[in-house]
Amino acid sequence: MAEIPDFIKDQTLSLAPGADGPGREETAPEPGAGLPVPAGPAVATGTEDPATAVGRMRQAATLRLPHPRRFRAAQLKGIRRMLEEESEAICAALASDVGKSRTEALITEIQSVRSEVDHALLYLTDWMEPQAVKVPLALQPASAKVEARPLGTVLVIAPWNYPFQLLLAPLVAAVAAGNSVVLKPSEKAPATSELVGRLIPQYLDPRAVAVVQGGAETVQGLLAERFDHVFYTGGERVGRIVYEAAARQLTPVTLELGGKSPCVVADGRNWPAIARRIAFGKFINAGQTCVAPDYVLAVGEETQRQLERHLPRAIREFYGEDPATSPDYGRMIDAAHAERVGGLLRDALEPGEGRAPARLVHGGRVDAAERYVEPTVVADVAPDSPLMAEEIFGPVLPILRVDTFEEAVEFITARPHPLAAYLFTDRHRYHRAFEERVTAGALAFDVALIQAGLPTLPFGGVGPSGMGAYHGRAGFETFSQLRPALTKTDQVDTLKAVYPPYTWAKRQAIRRIL
């Protein structure tokens, strides 16, 4: 039997072991006491093969082990304790994998998950409460409700760019919704992957959460198993593979992908602040953020001039004269990724067939062996530049000049829907036009990136940037079945009017009622 963490043993259940709904409080030695215990290793550290891990999680779901509210709350509190007690180890793993400073790791990885946990614990009872809905007068007496029910066993596949946050935040939602969960951390972030595999069974009940580690073959093995939901964060190419594999088993999916998130700068009064906000959103995590501004559309010559003046100042303010020596600037995940971004930059700075070269405004240094790409700004970028052909996913910010706001909007709408779109302007009519005409996973005005960290806002893409959403209640509902239920007493059979045979009198009555 899997070893149960002491903090879980101390919890009480709100109902008889294994039941689903609210009821009397009953002290229990451990969640699910009295139920058959899924077989498994003493401690699940991620060494299980996919079939074994999924089998254990499906058994837990069948036994309804993760369903009770107190069990869900205990799991969430376990995640919170892990964040509090293991923050230094988490920061060290992130520094090893992606070169994150301790402060950046706390802000973007640990605190963001903590906010999700706190939000879920605050609203869990409300989310689980059945919602009464109205029943038409013609069907009275009757009552109806919609209740969030656990889906069962779910799979979470995490990427390498935020290897802790993008694994744990979906876990929070899945646990809050009462599911058993299989976690697949990214093999490209080995320190974080190993740490998660060790910590999860220490702080959460390993009968309801499993960590499976490995590379592409492991993912293929997991996708061959049956799940009730698959949650994937990563690139479009692998997203298609996940989607196709899930479709073969009719498994619903959430795909958090990416794309080229545009940033339109139409005008401004506080140019230093605008530059700082764009630079922060772009260069945090060394540009490896799915909702980072991928390129800037500068409306007019004056706007471009101000950006070229203030963006380098903001970069120096953040990271000093030599970002390579800054403790606050990260690194690429690996040398190949650094070389890819460096290649895009070199190609853009060289003339192409019928295309003028881009102009280097700031930065440009690349050391692939050290996984280093300097925060870089380039201007006079052509729409057919290599930098505009794909999501950059690195610290290179192209500036394209357009003559009008209308031209900027048309540029965005002619391209695939992005995960985020940003607009900096003081003109409210531009706000309204942007909201009306731009389709994106999220919009943000006069700020970049921050919208992705709010548990009160859904996070997700649209079209090629993804499908489905999570964070806060949106995540809870993603991992739940919103099941309708109708109750109508049979003591008075008010449905007689609609039973055959349909006489003239019944037809007249039905016409009046409907």
Side-chain angles (χ1 to χ4, degrees), residues 186-250:
S186 174
E187 73 280 5
K188 288 192 174 183
T192 304
S193 178
E194 186 278 330
L195 181 67
V196 168
R198 178 166 56 84
L199 294 182
I200 288 293
Q202 294 180 22
Y203 287 91
L204 282 79
D205 190 331
R207 298 174 300 172
V209 181
V211 181
V212 177
Q213 301 188 38
E217 290 185 2
T218 299
V219 173
Q220 292 172 0
L222 286 169
L223 293 175
E225 300 294 326
R226 184 170 63 88
F227 288 95
D228 298 293
H229 195 92
V230 174
F231 189 104
Y232 168 80
T233 305
E236 182 179 338
R237 183 185 63 83
V238 178
R240 291 179 183 273
I241 296 172
V242 171
Y243 196 18
E244 291 172 1
R248 285 194 288 269
Q249 303 202 49
L250 296 180

Side-chain angles (χ1 to χ4, degrees), residues 87-102:
S87 62
E88 293 304 320
I90 296 167
C91 289
L94 292 168
S96 174
D97 287 332
V98 288
K100 287 194 179 184
S101 69
R102 181 180 182 277

Side-chain angles (χ1 to χ4, degrees), residues 122-428:
L122 181 62
Y123 291 101
L124 182 60
T125 300
D126 291 340
W127 294 346
M128 293 179 64
E129 189 71 20
Q131 303 297 310
V133 297
K134 293 182 178 180
V135 178
L137 181 63
L139 295 178
Q140 295 290 356
S143 62
K145 66 180 180 180
V146 176
E147 184 176 13
R149 302 289 303 159
L151 291 176
T153 299
V154 303
L155 170 64
V156 176
I157 304 174
W160 50 260
N161 58 324
Y162 289 85
F164 187 81
Q165 182 224 129
L166 295 179
L167 184 72
L168 271 290
L171 173 64
V172 170
V175 165
N179 300 284
S180 59
V181 187
V182 176
L183 296 173
K184 169 58 181 72
S186 174
E187 73 280 5
K188 288 192 174 183
T192 304
S193 178
E194 186 278 330
L195 181 67
V196 168
R198 178 166 56 84
L199 294 182
I200 288 293
Q202 294 180 22
Y203 287 91
L204 282 79
D205 190 331
R207 298 174 300 172
V209 181
V211 181
V212 177
Q213 301 188 38
E217 290 185 2
T218 299
V219 173
Q220 292 172 0
L222 286 169
L223 293 175
E225 300 294 326
R226 184 170 63 88
F227 288 95
D228 298 293
H229 195 92
V230 174
F231 189 104
Y232 168 80
T233 305
E236 182 179 338
R237 183 185 63 83
V238 178
R240 291 179 183 273
I241 296 172
V242 171
Y243 196 18
E244 291 172 1
R248 285 194 288 269
Q249 303 202 49
L250 296 180
T251 300
V253 299
T254 299
L255 300 178
E256 300 294 348
L257 305 177
K260 296 183 73 64
S261 297
C263 177
V264 178
V265 183
D267 49 47
R269 286 177 290 185
N270 191 343
W271 288 107
I274 291 173
R276 284 192 295 267
R277 293 185 180 189
I278 295 174
F280 175 78
K282 177 63 178 181
F283 299 116
I284 194 168
N285 200 35
Q288 300 165 113
T289 305
C290 57
V291 290
D294 191 84
Y295 61 94
V296 171
L297 293 173
V299 180
E301 182 178 351
E302 176 61 16
T303 296
Q304 179 172 345
R305 189 180 69 82
Q306 293 288 356
L307 290 174
E308 290 185 24
R309 177 186 179 192
H310 289 283
L311 279 170
R313 292 181 179 179
I315 294 170
R316 286 191 291 269
E317 181 182 334
F318 290 170
Y319 307 116
E321 292 296 332
D322 184 6
T325 63
S326 170
D328 299 315
Y329 185 64
R331 294 297 183 268
M332 300 288 98
I333 187 66
D334 54 33
H337 188 55
E339 182 57 41
R340 182 191 67 83
V341 175
L344 291 175
L345 178 60
R346 287 192 299 271
D347 290 345
L349 294 175
E350 296 175 356
E353 185 176 348
R355 171 179 55 82
R359 176 169 48 86
L360 185 65
V361 175
H362 182 83
R365 285 198 300 133
V366 178
D367 186 343
E370 295 295 324
R371 303 184 297 158
Y372 175 73
V373 178
E374 186 178 10
T376 299
V377 179
V378 291
D380 301 336
V381 177
D384 60 349
S385 166
L387 288 172
M388 298 302 295
E390 61 183 70
E391 183 179 7
I392 298 170
F393 219 65
V396 177
L397 182 62
I399 299 176
L400 293 78
R401 196 180 90 191
V402 293
D403 293 329
T404 64
F405 175 75
E406 176 69 21
E407 186 179 342
V409 171
E410 291 178 353
F411 187 94
I412 296 170
T413 57
R415 286 158 175 77
H417 302 323
L419 191 54
Y422 304 106
L423 172 62
F424 288 79
T425 183
D426 293 328
R427 303 186 187 188
H428 293 294

Side-chain angles (χ1 to χ4, degrees), residues 11 13 30 56 58 102 104 113 121 124 133 199 235 239 299 323 325 382 392 412 420-421 460 462:
Q11 301 299 321
L13 296 180
E30 60 185 47
R56 287 198 306 108
R58 292 212 70 84
R102 181 180 182 277
E104 185 175 317
V113 176
L121 283 169
L124 182 60
V133 297
L199 294 182
V299 180
T325 63
I392 298 170
I412 296 170
V462 57

Side-chain angles (χ1 to χ4, degrees), residues 99-120:
K100 287 194 179 184
S101 69
R102 181 180 182 277
T103 301
E104 185 175 317
L106 288 171
I107 294 172
T108 64
E109 303 262 8
I110 296 175
Q111 184 54 44
S112 59
V113 176
R114 173 66 186 265
S115 296
E116 289 290 329
V117 172
D118 291 344
H119 189 77

